[in-house]
Amino acid sequence: MSVLGLVFSNPELYGSTLAMATPLALGALGGTFSERTGVVNIAMEGIMLIGAFFGVMAAASSHSAWIGLLAGVVAGGLISLALAWPAVRLQSDQVILGMAINLFAAGLTAFLLNTVYGFGGTPISTPQLPQLTIPLLNNIPFVGAVLGQQNVVVYIMILLVIIGHFFLFHTNLGLRMRAVGEHPEAADTVGINVVRIRYFGVLIGGMMSGLAGVYLSIGMLNSFEVNMTDGRGYIALAAMIFGKWTPFGSLGAALLFGFATAVSYSLQNYGVSANLIGILPYALTIVALTGVIGRSKAPAADGLPYEPSK
Amino acid sequence: MSKRTQSLVLPLLAVITGLILGGIIMWVSGYKPINAYVALFQGAFGNSVFIANTIAGAIPLILTSLGIAIAFRTGLFNIGAEGQYWIGAMVGTWIGYNFPHLPWYIHIPFALIGAMVAGGIWGGLIPGLAKAFVGAHEVITTMMMSYIAILIGHFMLERGPMMAPGYNPQSPLVTMSATLPTLVSNSNLSAGIFIAMVAIIVVYLLLFHTTFGYRLRTVGHNPMAAKYAGMNVPLFTIYSLGLSGVLAGLGGAVQIMGVDHQLTDTFSSGYGYTAIVVSLLARNNPIAIFFASVFFSALSTGSQVMQINSGVSPNMTDVITGVIIFFVATDKLYSYFRGKFRRSSKAQSEQKGVSVS
C-alpha cells in the first residue's frame, strides 16, 4: 500500500481527528452562542486558557478531575462576564474587549503557573478526566477505533452540539436569542429583555470555551503549560465562521480543521510541512467569507452595541 | 470634562488602574508590588543602555501602531498587523542576505521598500479587496491573513527555503550593507529610530494636513456622507488597510535590519498586538503614539530586571496590559458611574422634595 493509503486507512487518524476537533468545536459552539445574541466574541483563546489553568488547579488540589472540570467551566463563565458587562451595559467595542481578555488571560495564567507551582510546573499527580469505552460501539471494526474509546469530554462535546442545535433552533429561548442578534430593536419592542439575553449568550458561550480549555489541560493531558491553547481559540473562531454560526456547522468545520491537524502530524514523518497544512483553516475562512463557496454571513446585529431607548 | 482633557485623562486613568490592579494581583500572590515596580522602572530607565533598549523596543511598536492608527481613523480595525510585521521581516531578511554586493545606500532602501510593499499587499490588497467588494469583515480577514503569514514564516525557516545551513530554525544573517547602524554600543538602539521619527511626522502630516488624510478620516467618521460627497469608499478602504500594512511591514524590516539581523522562529513576541494597544491608548494620535510605545516598551524591557530583583514573572506585564486595554475599551465607565450617581442623588432630592411638601 502507498504511504498515503497507509495514513488514510488507519482508524487512529480519524480517532485523533475527533480528539483534535473537540476543543475547536467547543470553542466554536461557545462563540456561536455569544454571537447569535449579537456579542462578538474573539476571546475564546483567553477563556480557554483560564478554563485550562483553573481546571488543573482545582483538580490538583481536590484530587478530583470532575471538580477540575467544574472549576474550569465556572472560571470560563466568570471571565466571560468581563466581556458581557461592558458590551451590554457600556456599549464598549467588543473586539477590543476580546483582545483585552486574551492578553489578560495569557498573562495571568503564565504568572500564576510560575507563582503557584514554580519552575516544576503543575503537579504530576494531577488527575485526568477518564477515557470512556462505549460497550457495543467499541466492538464494531473501524468505527469502534474512531468513536468507541475517547475522552469523556469528546462525548460531552457531541451532546452539547446536538443540544445546542435543538436549543437555538427549536426552543422559544433560542428563537429569542437569534432575534436579539438579528434585530435587537424589534426584539425589544416585542418585550424581549435584550440585556438579559445577551448576558445569557455570552455566559453560556464562556462556559463552553472554558470546557474546551479543561479538555486541553486535564482531558488530553494532566498539566498546564504556558499558552497551551496555542491559537486554538482563533481556529475555533474560524470554525464558527466557516460553520456559519450554527452548532452543526461549527462541529463540521472543527472536524475538518481537526482532520487537517491530525493529517499534518501523520505526514510530518514523510516530509510534509505541518506549517503549510496549518494554513488550511485560516485560508478556508477567508474563502468562506468572500463567498467563493456559499458565503458566510454573521448575525445582522453582531458586534453592534444596543442602547435601549428610555 | 472637555473632549480634549478626556482624551488625555482617560488613557492615564486606564494606565493607573492597570498598574494598581497588577499591584494587587502581585500583593495577593505574596510579592512586594512597590519593589517590583521600582525594579521595573530601573530595568527600563536605570542606565543609558537600559534607556537605549527601551527606545529600541519602541521602534517597531511606533511603526506598526502608526499603521493601525491610520486604519482606525478610517473606521477599520487592522487586528492582523502581527502577520504584516512578519511578512515585512521575511521580505526584509530575504533581500537583506541575498544581495551582498549592493552598496548600503541601495541595499537598505531596497529591503525597506520591499518589506513595505509586501506588508501593504498582505494587509491592504487581500483584506481591503474583500472588505470593499464583498463586505468581508476586516477583523476576521486580517486576523486569518496574520496567522497564514506566521505559518509561512515558520515554514520558510523549518527546513524551508530561508533556513540557514545547520539545525536551527533561523535564516542567514543579513549582510553589513543591509544593517542599520547601532547608535549606543551594547544596546539594541539602531538608526531605525530616525525612520520611526520620520514616520511619525509623515503620518501626522498625511492625516491632518492633506486632502487625502481628510478624506480618509471622513470615510472613517461617516462612510455614508463620504459616499454622498462623491468619495470612492471602497478605494479608501483599500488605501487605508494598505498603508496600515505598509507601516507594519516597515516595522518588521527595521527590527530585522536594526536589531535581530536574522529571522528566527521566535521573531515576534506579539508586537502586532501590543501595537493595537498602543494605538488605542494613544487614541490614534501619531505624537501620543510615541509616548505610548515607549511606555509599553518600558514595561517589557523593565520586566526582565523585575524578575531578577523581585521574582515576579515577566508575564505580569501582559496582565497589566490586558487591564489597561479593558479600561480603554470601557471609557464609558466614567460617565456610567456619574450617571448612576446623578440618578441616585436626583432620586434622593426628589424624595426629599416629596417629604418637604
Side-chain angles (χ1 to χ4, degrees), chain B residues 186-342:
Chain B
N186 295 323
S187 84
N188 288 333
L189 185 59
S190 73
I193 186 65
F194 300 124
I195 298 174
M197 297 313 257
V198 170
I200 290 177
I201 296 165
V202 169
V203 170
Y204 181 80
L205 293 177
L206 182 86
L207 275 176
F208 299 108
H209 293 279
T210 64
T211 325
F212 178 76
Y214 175 74
R215 289 189 174 150
L216 278 182
R217 287 184 293 130
T218 309
V219 169
H221 223 73
N222 191 339
M224 289 307 266
K227 199 178 156 193
Y228 287 123
M231 291 175 203
N232 186 342
V233 174
L235 193 65
F236 277 96
T237 303
I238 296 170
Y239 280 150
S240 168
L241 285 173
L243 277 174
S244 203
V246 162
L247 282 156
L250 178 63
V254 167
Q255 180 69 11
I256 289 288
M257 294 157 71
V259 181
D260 292 4
H261 303 128
Q262 65 180 162
L263 192 66
T264 59
D265 247 8
T266 52
F267 166 61
S268 171
S269 49
Y271 275 119
Y273 300 106
T274 314
I276 297 173
V277 186
V278 169
S279 318
L280 289 172
L281 194 66
R283 303 230 161 174
N284 306 317
N285 177 322
I287 292 154
I289 277 178
F290 174 81
F291 294 102
S293 298
V294 170
F295 170 73
F296 282 107
S297 171
L299 274 187
S300 92
T301 315
S303 68
Q304 308 301 326
V305 173
M306 177 175 77
Q307 183 178 30
I308 296 164
N309 285 10
S310 61
V312 176
S313 140
N315 304 104
M316 193 62 224
T317 57
D318 288 337
V319 176
I320 296 170
T321 310
V323 174
I324 292 173
I325 325 173
F326 180 84
F327 282 98
V328 168
T330 55
D331 54 356
K332 280 195 182 168
L333 209 58
Y334 172 77
S335 46
Y336 175 78
F337 281 120
R338 206 176 51 169
K340 275 221 149 167
F341 175 72
R342 268 197 192 152

Side-chain angles (χ1 to χ4, degrees), chain A residues 42 45 82-83 85-86 89-93 95-97 99-101 103-104 106-112 114-115 119 226 231 234-235 237-238 240-241 268 271 273-283 285-286 289-291 295 307 310, chain B residues 25-26 29-31 72 77 79 126 130 134-137 139-141 143-145 147-148 151-152 154-156 158-159 273-274 276-277 280 307 311-316 318-323 325-326 328-333 336-337 343:
Chain A
I42 66 159
E45 179 85 357
L83 169 65
W85 185 71
R89 287 285 177 201
L90 304 178
Q91 290 86 40
S92 297
D93 188 310
V95 173
I96 298 175
L97 289 171
M99 261 192 61
I101 292 177
L103 257 172
F104 177 80
L108 185 75
T109 51
F111 169 79
L112 286 179
N114 195 327
T115 304
F119 291 111
V226 170
Y234 297 109
I235 303 183
L237 183 71
M240 173 191 76
I241 296 166
Q268 232 165 3
S273 164
N275 291 317
L276 287 186
I277 296 176
I279 290 174
L280 191 74
Y282 307 118
T285 304
I286 294 178
L289 277 174
T290 48
R295 178 136 157 243
E307 205 161 1
K310 280 161 192 139
Chain B
I25 294 176
M26 286 191 258
S29 316
Y31 297 106
F72 270 134
F77 196 159
I79 206 170
I126 298 167
V134 292
H137 205 294
V139 165
I140 305 296
T141 49
M143 183 192 284
M144 299 298 145
M145 290 296 286
Y147 281 103
I148 293 175
L151 284 165
I152 292 177
H154 285 230
F155 162 72
M156 289 288 183
E158 290 163 18
R159 284 182 285 173
Y273 300 106
T274 314
I276 297 173
V277 186
L280 289 172
Q307 183 178 30
V312 176
S313 140
N315 304 104
M316 193 62 224
D318 288 337
V319 176
I320 296 170
T321 310
V323 174
I325 325 173
F326 180 84
V328 168
T330 55
D331 54 356
K332 280 195 182 168
L333 209 58
Y336 175 78
F337 281 120
R343 235 173 286 144

Side-chain angles (χ1 to χ4, degrees), chain B residues 2-272:
Chain B
S2 76
K3 225 172 167 170
R4 218 186 154 76
T5 35
Q6 244 188 33
S7 67
L8 250 173
V9 171
L10 292 182
L12 271 178
L13 273 178
V15 168
I16 293 168
T17 319
L19 293 175
I20 291 177
L21 274 179
I24 292 175
I25 294 176
M26 286 191 258
W27 180 66
V28 169
S29 316
Y31 297 106
K32 296 193 178 83
I34 306 279
N35 291 8
Y37 282 135
V38 169
L40 185 79
F41 186 82
Q42 281 171 341
F45 301 106
N47 64 38
S48 59
V49 171
F50 287 158
I51 294 175
N53 281 339
T54 299
I55 296 173
I59 295 170
L61 288 178
I62 292 172
L63 289 167
T64 310
S65 59
L66 282 173
I68 292 165
I70 291 178
F72 270 134
R73 289 270 179 188
T74 323
L76 299 164
F77 196 159
N78 176 13
I79 206 170
E82 176 85 357
Q84 297 146 19
Y85 181 74
W86 259 94
I87 286 285
M90 230 181 290
V91 171
T93 308
W94 189 82
I95 296 176
Y97 70 73
N98 262 320
F99 302 92
H101 301 300
L102 289 176
W104 66 267
Y105 51 86
I106 297 182
H107 204 177
I108 290 178
F110 181 28
L112 293 177
I113 292 169
M116 287 159 78
V117 170
I121 291 173
W122 208 258
L125 208 61
I126 298 167
L129 284 174
K131 170 91 178 183
F133 293 107
V134 292
H137 205 294
E138 78 281 359
V139 165
I140 305 296
T141 49
T142 55
M143 183 192 284
M144 299 298 145
M145 290 296 286
S146 169
Y147 281 103
I148 293 175
I150 296 166
L151 284 165
I152 292 177
H154 285 230
F155 162 72
M156 289 288 183
L157 297 175
E158 290 163 18
R159 284 182 285 173
M162 281 177 72
M163 189 182 180
Y167 296 99
N168 295 326
Q170 58 190 29
S171 77
L173 289 167
V174 297
T175 58
M176 272 311 286
S177 56
T179 302
L180 297 167
T182 304
L183 300 182
V184 176
S185 50
N186 295 323
S187 84
N188 288 333
L189 185 59
S190 73
I193 186 65
F194 300 124
I195 298 174
M197 297 313 257
V198 170
I200 290 177
I201 296 165
V202 169
V203 170
Y204 181 80
L205 293 177
L206 182 86
L207 275 176
F208 299 108
H209 293 279
T210 64
T211 325
F212 178 76
Y214 175 74
R215 289 189 174 150
L216 278 182
R217 287 184 293 130
T218 309
V219 169
H221 223 73
N222 191 339
M224 289 307 266
K227 199 178 156 193
Y228 287 123
M231 291 175 203
N232 186 342
V233 174
L235 193 65
F236 277 96
T237 303
I238 296 170
Y239 280 150
S240 168
L241 285 173
L243 277 174
S244 203
V246 162
L247 282 156
L250 178 63
V254 167
Q255 180 69 11
I256 289 288
M257 294 157 71
V259 181
D260 292 4
H261 303 128
Q262 65 180 162
L263 192 66
T264 59
D265 247 8
T266 52
F267 166 61
S268 171
S269 49
Y271 275 119

